[in-house]
Amino acid sequence: MDIAHFHHNHVLLPLSVRSLPSLKIPYPFAPSSPRSSRRRRYVLLASSSDTLLAGSQGKEERKVDAVVSRKGSDDADEFGDLKSWMHQNGLPPCKVVLRDRPSFHDSKHKPIHYVAASQDLQAGDLAFSVPNSLVVTLERVLGNESIAELLATNKLSELACLALYLMYEKKQGRKSFWYPYIRELDRQRGRGQLAVESPLLWSQSELDYLSGSPIKDEVLERSEGIKREYNELDTVWFMAGSLFQQYPYDIPTEAFPFEIFKQAFVAVQSCVVHLQKVSLARRFALVPLGPPLLAYKSNCKAMLTAAEDAVELVVDRDYKTGEPISVWCGPQPNSKLLLNYGFVDENNSYDRIVVKAALSTEDPQYQDKRMVAQRNGKLSIQSFNVYAGKERETVLEMLPYLRLGYVSDPAEMQSVISSQGPVCPVSACMERAVLDQLVDYFESRLAGYPTTLSEDDSLLSDPDLNPKKRVATQLVRVEKKMLKACLEAATDLINMLPDHTISPCPAPYAPQLR
């Protein structure tokens, strides 16, 4: 289910605004024809209880809102819950139920639903099988696999197309086949299993909780990428006209302000499933009973999989009746889990931080060094992944690359070129210079965080800590632990040098670390 790795032209780049509930897809208060000479932006509401987001609300619109509000309590009677609606439309008998988890931190929000076992389950049991008729994919949306692939490999991601589709469907209100599913997404409001939205929807002051972490820049970059996708939405309208003829509304960028699209995009991002061994047009799917109703766990191996005519979940462990069902979210680090789903897993074996090293392009021997690096499986700009518990191994992996950058004597460089393997002549002063650079780098990164590890521990011990600040603190805390372990590894290597009094070698073209 890893949706964080798309090819670059999908502009899901890291894939902040005032915190707003997700999937705020507007109701059609006053639809107009795409060719109407009078174009206007509609008053946009997510549901009867949501805050007015754009424009001003007129008397007639307030009347409609009041009617919707009165009817809102009748939705369950008219449509039943999501699972009942699915059974009415082809979901076969299954072994799960929907249960409520109260929204402890904001009483204004409805409880979050989650999928739980309706009976005792054993590893290998089929929990449910959702027929393809209840699964939203790009192939289903566009009705043409060629158009779907063309869009997905051009300027728009699958997420943007799926979000746009649901936005238009919500304009249909109760007439939409997907109304019960969209209503469920509205209830979730883009919140993950910890009731926290993606940082893409955090305010600037909330983003400051992530100060010092690379993810803060990733959030801003992905927000810019979403904006670029929004600017290309009209492409979908014109390329898939047969689909959108059924919607008597303006073209996307006139029907939906950017903030509305962004919220819908983030909501889709939080629940999309990455199916394996299917066509390009089916690989990203919205599956009712799937995330975010299913909990994510990094140590879980159960995945939603595509069968011949359905999407199935086979559990990987035993469950007692009433226990929440979990699925695997792919080999994602905590930064991606927070960005995509709004949570952090402190026991995530896939968690990592990245150290980038680059050979100096001003070095007269840069081309030779680049050739040697490539010969040994490295690039002129090389990323080293630091995994929790394996920090020392990563530091040792970095040393040959950094030593290469420190070589300055042409004769030594020729010796390196003629050698086999990642071998550089290492003098005591060069080794000290390399290790000193690593120590300075890790100390600098740790100093970039506004809090210390002990302060983070104190914050997390507070049961009333704001949920967003809690997950942000969890993230920066695990990052600091890895950086501290790297610092300790480099310091230990310095202490193992035979002569501690030696001065580091000068390094006019030392590699850059960032």
Side-chain angles (χ1 to χ4, degrees):
M1 283 180 224
D2 183 358
I3 67 169
H5 300 93
F6 303 96
H7 28 99
H8 300 300
N9 57 357
H10 278 175
V11 291
L12 278 178
L13 301 176
L15 217 195
S16 307
V17 298
R18 182 171 62 86
S19 181
L20 296 169
S22 196
L23 199 63
K24 291 195 175 208
I25 306 173
Y27 283 108
F29 290 121
S32 61
S33 166
R35 294 178 174 82
S36 171
S37 59
R38 294 179 58 197
R39 296 202 179 275
R40 59 179 292 268
R41 293 206 181 274
Y42 305 122
V43 176
L44 302 168
L45 295 176
S47 69
S48 59
S49 60
D50 285 334
T51 305
L52 194 67
L53 296 178
S56 59
Q57 193 177 25
K59 291 183 179 179
E60 292 305 313
E61 290 158 341
R62 285 196 294 270
K63 289 179 182 178
V64 173
D65 192 23
V67 171
V68 172
S69 180
R70 288 194 300 272
K71 289 184 177 180
S73 60
D74 299 330
D75 281 353
D77 295 333
E78 182 179 348
F79 293 95
D81 66 11
L82 177 68
K83 187 166 173 285
S84 299
W85 167 75
M86 293 177 69
H87 282 305
Q88 293 166 12
N89 289 279
L91 178 71
C94 56
K95 300 176 182 177
V96 300
V97 293
L98 286 182
R99 293 201 168 177
D100 284 350
R101 180 182 292 116
S103 184
F104 296 107
H105 301 283
D106 193 336
S107 58
K108 294 183 296 183
H109 289 179
K110 294 180 180 179
I112 291 178
H113 283 157
Y114 66 94
V115 171
S118 61
Q119 61 189 73
D120 289 353
L121 298 177
Q122 293 183 330
D125 283 351
L126 176 66
F128 59 75
S129 178
V130 179
N132 286 342
S133 59
L134 291 173
V135 176
V136 186
T137 63
L138 212 58
E139 181 181 44
R140 170 82 178 264
V141 167
L142 300 178
N144 184 306
E145 187 169 339
S146 299
I147 292 179
E149 293 187 3
L150 180 60
L151 285 170
T153 55
N154 215 328
K155 295 182 178 181
L156 286 165
S157 69
E158 290 92 336
L159 299 192
C161 297
L162 292 173
L164 180 61
Y165 175 70
L166 289 185
M167 291 167 77
Y168 275 115
E169 279 295 310
K170 180 153 187 189
K171 272 184 170 285
Q172 302 291 325
R174 296 160 186 264
K175 295 179 182 178
S176 170
F177 172 77
W178 299 107
Y179 176 80
Y181 180 44
I182 292 172
R183 186 187 62 186
E184 182 63 40
L185 295 180
D186 279 340
R187 169 188 281 271
Q188 299 296 120
R189 303 168 76 93
R191 296 170 294 169
Q193 57 204 53
L194 298 179
V196 177
E197 300 161 326
S198 163
L200 289 165
L201 297 176
W202 292 9
S203 68
Q204 185 57 55
S205 61
E206 290 166 340
L207 280 180
D208 288 342
Y209 300 152
L210 297 167
S211 293
S213 173
I215 191 178
K216 188 173 180 180
D217 287 336
E218 289 182 35
V219 170
L220 299 176
E221 290 171 6
R222 189 177 290 192
S223 292
E224 292 174 1
I226 296 173
K227 178 66 173 179
R228 289 193 292 272
E229 293 216 64
Y230 172 76
N231 292 334
E232 296 293 337
L233 282 183
D234 295 349
T235 304
V236 184
W237 176 281
F238 294 116
M239 292 183 66
S242 59
L243 166 70
F244 293 108
Q245 282 176 3
Q246 64 182 292
Y247 302 116
Y249 311 114
D250 283 343
I251 61 176
T253 55
E254 295 196 18
F256 309 107
F258 170 64
E259 289 304 325
I260 301 298
F261 170 72
K262 183 177 182 180
Q263 293 155 30
F265 185 101
V266 172
V268 168
Q269 171 183 270
S270 72
C271 58
V272 75
V273 176
H274 191 179
L275 297 176
Q276 306 294 320
K277 299 178 182 178
V278 296
S279 66
L280 180 66
R282 291 185 59 210
R283 63 177 177 171
F284 291 103
L286 299 175
V287 184
L289 294 185
L293 301 175
L294 292 170
Y296 284 118
K297 280 192 177 179
S298 297
N299 63 357
C300 181
K301 294 303 178 185
M303 298 179 65
L304 287 165
T305 57
E308 182 177 353
D309 56 359
V311 175
E312 300 178 341
L313 176 65
V314 175
V315 297
D316 70 329
R317 61 193 68 189
D318 296 347
Y319 288 96
K320 294 294 185 183
T321 302
E323 287 186 339
I325 304 293
S326 299
V327 291
W328 189 42
C329 48
Q332 299 186 64
N334 278 325
S335 59
K336 298 301 182 189
L337 296 182
L338 180 57
L339 190 61
N340 293 328
Y341 316 118
F343 80 99
V344 169
D345 183 351
E346 294 186 274
N347 298 313
N348 183 1
S349 60
Y350 303 100
D351 198 21
R352 64 180 181 270
I353 57 174
V354 178
V355 177
K356 288 187 178 180
L359 298 173
S360 173
T361 56
E362 297 179 0
D363 190 337
Q365 302 182 94
Y366 168 73
Q367 294 298 338
D368 288 339
K369 291 182 179 180
R370 186 176 71 164
M371 177 192 69
V372 172
Q374 290 176 342
R375 190 175 67 191
N376 290 285
K378 299 290 189 287
L379 303 172
S380 57
I381 301 177
Q382 179 63 39
S383 294
F384 293 91
N385 291 320
V386 180
Y387 289 91
K390 298 183 178 179
E391 294 87 356
R392 183 181 179 85
E393 289 90 332
T394 306
V395 169
L396 293 174
E397 181 190 0
M398 293 175 65
L399 291 180
Y401 186 90
L402 296 178
R403 290 168 185 153
L404 175 64
Y406 273 78
V407 174
S408 57
D409 188 314
E412 290 182 347
M413 193 65 231
Q414 288 303 311
S415 175
V416 172
I417 293 173
S418 61
S419 67
Q420 297 296 318
V423 177
C424 285
V426 179
S427 64
C429 75
M430 177 192 288
E431 191 72 350
R432 181 58 185 266
V434 169
L435 292 171
D436 277 358
Q437 183 182 10
L438 280 174
V439 167
D440 290 344
Y441 169 77
F442 292 124
E443 287 180 341
S444 175
R445 281 194 63 169
L446 283 167
Y449 294 94
T451 58
T452 64
L453 276 170
S454 60
E455 289 171 333
D456 293 340
D457 291 338
S458 178
L459 282 171
L460 293 174
S461 67
D462 180 3
D464 297 322
L465 185 64
N466 175 287
K468 292 176 183 176
K469 192 164 188 177
R470 180 174 297 279
V471 295
T473 302
Q474 288 175 327
L475 179 78
V476 298
R477 181 171 173 266
V478 294
E479 289 179 348
K480 291 175 201 174
K481 283 186 173 182
M482 285 186 275
L483 289 169
K484 183 180 178 183
C486 289
L487 175 60
E488 291 172 349
T491 303
D492 288 345
L493 291 172
I494 289 177
N495 293 333
M496 293 170 61
L497 293 175
D499 187 351
H500 290 260
T501 63
I502 194 166
S503 299
C505 288
Y509 304 109
Q512 295 178 335
L513 292 176
R514 58 180 187 273

